[in-house]
Amino acid sequence: MATLTITYDVFEGPEALGAADRELLAAARAALENSYSPYSNFRVGAAARLRGGAIARGWNTENAAYPMCLCAEPAALAAAANLQPGVPVTTMAITVKSPSQTVDSPASPCGSCRQQLTEHETRFGVDLRIILRGEAGPIYVFHSAKDLLPFGFASNLL
Ligand code: THU
C-alpha cells in the first residue's frame, strides 16, 4: 500500500493573497475578456509570472473544428516565451467565467494543460506554482504543477 499526499494552500479570497499573487490573479481575470469562445461561451484566462517579475497572459481560443481549441494555459506559456525567451514561469494564475453559472469553486486545468505545465517545470528546473479561482469563492494555491499531475508521463522514459 502506498499513499500520495498533496499539500496546497486555501485562501478565502484575493485579499488573503500576497500583493504579487493578487496582481497575477487580477491579470488572469482581465485576460479572459479576450477569450474567443463562441462555441462553449466558457472563458478561461491565465497569467504567467516570469522569473524577474514580468507578466504574460493567455486565454482560450476556439475553432469551428472543435478539437483544435487552444487552452488559456499553454497560450500564456507561449506568451511568456515570446516576452522573454528562456526565462521560466514561476507562477500561473488561472480563472474562468461560465455562461451558465457563477463558478464558485476553483476550476482546474485540463490534462493536456497539466502535461504542458509540468514539462515547463522539468525543462527549466523550477517549481511552477498554480493559483486557481473560479468567479467567486476560495482560491487554491498549488506549490508545483506536478502536484496536479501525479504519475505523469515524463521524458526520463524516452
Ligand atoms: N479550457 C482552457 O482554456 N483550459 C483548460 O484547462 C480547460 C478548458 C477551455 C477550452 C475551451 O475553449 C473551453 O475552456 C471549454 O472547454
Side-chain angles (χ1 to χ4, degrees), residues 27-46 58-62 69-73 93-103 105-109 133-135:
R29 196 77 213 153
L32 64 66
E33 295 302 331
N34 299 307
S35 165
Y36 173 70
S37 40
Y39 306 103
S40 73
N41 291 310
F42 188 81
R43 295 169 181 264
V44 185
W59 45 84
N60 57 326
T61 298
E62 297 182 348
C69 141
L70 174 65
C71 286
E73 297 89 332
I94 303 161
T95 187
V96 300
K97 188 173 181 182
S98 167
S100 57
Q101 59 173 314
T102 300
V103 179
S105 60
S108 219
R133 195 187 194 210
E135 293 169 67

Side-chain angles (χ1 to χ4, degrees), residues 18-29:
D21 286 348
R22 197 162 56 242
E23 179 192 34
L24 198 65
L25 185 56
R29 196 77 213 153

Side-chain angles (χ1 to χ4, degrees), residues 11-18 21-22 25 133 137 139:
F11 297 99
E12 277 190 18
E15 322 74 47
L17 294 174
D21 286 348
R22 197 162 56 242
L25 185 56
R133 195 187 194 210
I139 297 168

